[in-house]
Amino acid sequence: MNGETFNILSLDGGGTWALIEAIALRELFGSDTPGHQILQHFRLVVANSGGSIVAAGLWANMTPRQLIEEFQSDSIRRHVFRKRPFYRQLTRVANFGPKYRARSKLKALKAVLELRAPGLADSNMGDLKRRFGTASSDTDLVIVGFDYDTNRAKFFRTNAGSLAGTQKDKPQLTTTLAEAVHASTNAPVNYFDDPAEIKYAGQLLRMWDGAIAGYNNPILAGITEALANRIPRDIIQVLSLGTGSRMLPRADGREAEHPWLIASPYKRTLVPVIGDVRKLAMSIVENPPDVATYMAFHMLGETLPTPEVSLQDKRRQETRIVRLNPMMQPTVNPVTKKFDTPGADTRFEDALSDEAFDQLLRLDMDAVRASEVDIIFRFADLWIKDQVYNQPILAGASSLECELGHRWFSHGRDHARKIALAPEAEVGKPSSPDDQISPERGQAEKAETL
């Protein structure tokens, strides 16, 4: 790792959709690169929910290929998302209420980690390995949770000397890795039935998902951790990996080929309180990450491009934050001038059908069936091929155009390599320059200007 930088890896929450983060790591570091070798590139890893599973996998020295296999395993998914007994499911009204057993999740998480790295699951956070390979500095881990009883964010750290913590006796270090992941992955209300119970300094704490504290995208927690420990902000760099985000245009007069490509007004249920609580719970867990990344951009002292800078240059701003996250977002069909399914105007060979994209938009974070995981995998594959948009740091409110950041995965990947957030491309596998644009991507870029 470049000694002049403090690299942070930030991993969003998102349940099964964290498969996308494993795919991104594969593209950046290689399919069979051991997790410990990946960790050598970073001084800090901060993770929430599904991202904490990916982080734990890296500490277990799993390769991206192995991480992908874990998320694709039907057996593992069904053990993590173990359904409540049928008679307890009867309490669900209007698709509202918990579906899974929290206590079963901890057993499943421990079993997966134990298989890959015996003893790691029950290791205290403070005892985890922090120096990897030839790295000259430690790599620390921060996992985010939410204390159910005190209504406060809680951070589980490997660094006993972190100045970001408030506890002098550092009781968080007695929590095991599996318990920290269990706490961070416990999405409430419409997912798991009880708070996650973990041991903490001799006490039993009840925890919810860190998204409830506003950290589904934990980038701000990571930067705060670094700044609190007196790391100069001008050497901090962040690779921020997401798990897919929806961004639909509002119904403001623009037409779409399909009604589900427009963000229609929310229709309240027959029992408004139930419907609104369900919507609130899902919104908190989703926690649109574009706001957090934009705030982080300013937190690091970055400057916005001036109005005179072209839109194309804004999309490749030389920032110290690389945000990689695929967007479930329609494109403008250059022929009909309407919002349409990505790739509908070119019909490239492996494009998602209209029906598949509709299904993707409706998928929840707890994708359990193999067919659901497959469509997430196909969506991520299109993203890697620059056939669906990457999430910008800042997007136009109505146009949805990228105004800051990287419009395509290849742009973000190349910039991550340039600033040593990821290794250089292998010989014979050059980065994608501007003049090597696929026909599909070229059509999409033209459509954006219409």
Side-chain angles (χ1 to χ4, degrees):
M1 192 189 85
N2 188 336
E4 298 179 355
T5 62
F6 186 94
N7 289 355
I8 299 174
L9 174 61
S10 177
L11 300 167
D12 285 15
T16 308
W17 293 70
L19 164 67
I20 293 172
E21 295 173 337
I23 292 172
L25 290 173
R26 180 194 68 190
E27 295 302 311
L28 290 166
F29 295 93
S31 295
D32 298 310
T33 303
H36 290 179
Q37 188 172 330
I38 294 173
L39 290 173
Q40 290 181 39
H41 290 266
F42 302 97
R43 294 284 299 279
L44 174 65
V45 178
V46 59
N48 178 64
S49 197
S52 71
I53 296 177
V54 174
L58 294 177
W59 252 263
N61 208 27
M62 292 171 63
T63 66
R65 185 196 303 275
Q66 291 172 327
L67 283 168
I68 292 170
E69 290 172 352
E70 298 290 341
F71 281 104
Q72 290 181 318
S73 168
D74 182 74
S75 174
I76 291 176
R77 289 195 311 275
R78 294 188 183 280
H79 276 84
V80 171
F81 294 105
R82 185 174 290 278
K83 288 189 174 182
R84 304 171 78 204
F86 172 74
Y87 63 87
R88 299 191 70 181
Q89 294 273 0
L90 296 177
T91 60
R92 302 189 81 231
V93 179
N95 200 30
F96 172 76
K99 294 176 280 187
Y100 309 110
R101 291 186 286 184
R103 292 185 179 182
S104 297
K105 174 162 60 71
L106 178 58
K107 295 179 181 179
L109 293 171
K110 292 177 69 171
V112 172
L113 286 174
E114 187 65 23
L115 182 64
R116 296 292 185 179
L120 181 66
D122 290 325
S123 296
N124 290 334
M125 290 287 290
D127 296 331
L128 294 184
K129 185 175 182 178
R130 299 169 65 201
R131 188 69 60 89
F132 299 98
T134 58
S136 58
S137 303
D138 290 341
T139 299
D140 282 306
L141 173 63
V142 176
I143 293 177
V144 188
F146 179 82
D147 191 314
Y148 176 80
D149 292 302
T150 64
N151 294 332
R152 296 180 61 185
K154 189 165 287 294
F155 303 93
F156 302 98
R157 299 179 173 90
T158 56
N159 181 9
S162 175
L163 300 176
T166 57
Q167 302 92 343
K168 299 301 181 183
D169 55 351
K170 303 185 175 58
Q172 80 226 351
L173 301 179
T174 64
T175 301
T176 69
L177 176 61
E179 287 176 321
V181 174
H182 180 43
S184 186
T185 57
N186 215 63
V189 182
N190 217 44
Y191 304 99
F192 290 99
D193 54 359
D194 293 309
E197 295 184 345
I198 65 171
K199 295 177 182 177
Y200 185 90
Q203 302 177 5
L204 191 66
L205 292 191
R206 298 187 294 177
M207 303 293 298
W208 270 353
D209 192 302
I212 308 303
Y215 292 103
N216 197 54
N217 175 352
I219 186 171
L220 293 175
I223 293 175
T224 301
E225 185 79 15
L227 293 176
N229 285 287
R230 300 169 185 167
I231 302 300
R233 71 175 183 173
D234 58 350
I235 71 167
I236 297 173
Q237 303 186 146
V238 187
L239 175 61
S240 174
L241 301 184
T243 58
S245 294
R246 299 170 181 83
M247 184 180 286
L248 302 180
R250 295 179 64 89
D252 57 359
R254 296 290 294 273
E255 295 183 348
E257 294 291 345
H258 308 284
W260 37 265
L261 292 174
I262 297 291
S264 301
Y266 174 67
K267 295 181 180 179
R268 304 185 79 189
T269 63
L270 293 175
V271 185
V273 173
I274 291 179
D276 286 353
V277 171
R278 178 178 180 273
K279 179 176 174 59
L280 176 63
M282 295 182 69
S283 297
I284 291 173
V285 172
E286 240 178 54
N287 183 29
D290 46 274
V291 175
T293 311
Y294 183 60
M295 292 172 67
F297 174 85
H298 289 286
M299 205 170 169
L300 292 185
E302 303 268 51
T303 57
L304 288 170
T306 63
E308 293 75 24
V309 176
S310 70
L311 184 61
Q312 189 64 30
D313 288 338
K314 288 179 181 178
R315 292 173 186 162
R316 303 196 71 164
Q317 175 88 354
E318 297 290 299
T319 73
R320 284 180 281 120
I321 296 175
V322 175
R323 174 66 175 171
L324 295 178
N325 184 39
M327 300 301 294
M328 288 167 274
Q329 176 182 336
T331 59
V332 176
N333 189 307
V335 177
T336 67
K337 307 298 189 292
K338 298 179 180 180
F339 284 110
D340 207 347
T341 307
D345 56 316
T346 57
R347 291 299 172 196
F348 43 82
E349 184 177 347
D350 52 357
L352 291 174
S353 66
D354 293 340
E355 294 76 14
F357 193 72
D358 182 25
Q359 180 185 358
L360 187 74
L361 288 171
R362 290 184 286 107
L363 275 186
D364 207 341
M365 59 170 283
D366 55 330
V368 177
R369 292 193 293 270
S371 60
E372 296 173 334
V373 177
D374 178 65
I375 199 170
I376 295 172
F377 188 90
R378 291 172 59 202
F379 171 59
D381 185 57
L382 292 174
W383 170 56
I384 295 298
K385 295 177 180 177
D386 288 348
Q387 293 174 352
V388 298
Y389 291 142
N390 181 62
Q391 184 186 41
I393 295 175
L394 178 66
S398 57
S399 68
L400 307 186
E401 290 185 357
C402 174
E403 295 186 2
L404 177 65
H406 301 103
R407 170 50 88 191
W408 304 104
F409 175 85
S410 65
H411 290 176
R413 176 203 62 204
D414 293 350
H415 188 56
R417 290 171 174 170
K418 180 179 178 180
I419 63 176
L421 280 169
E424 291 292 334
E426 297 177 23
V427 177
K429 294 183 179 180
S431 301
S432 301
D434 286 338
D435 59 354
Q436 293 181 358
I437 298 177
S438 67
E440 297 83 9
R441 196 176 86 190
Q443 290 284 346
E445 288 186 338
K446 289 179 182 178
E448 287 185 84
T449 64
L450 298 176

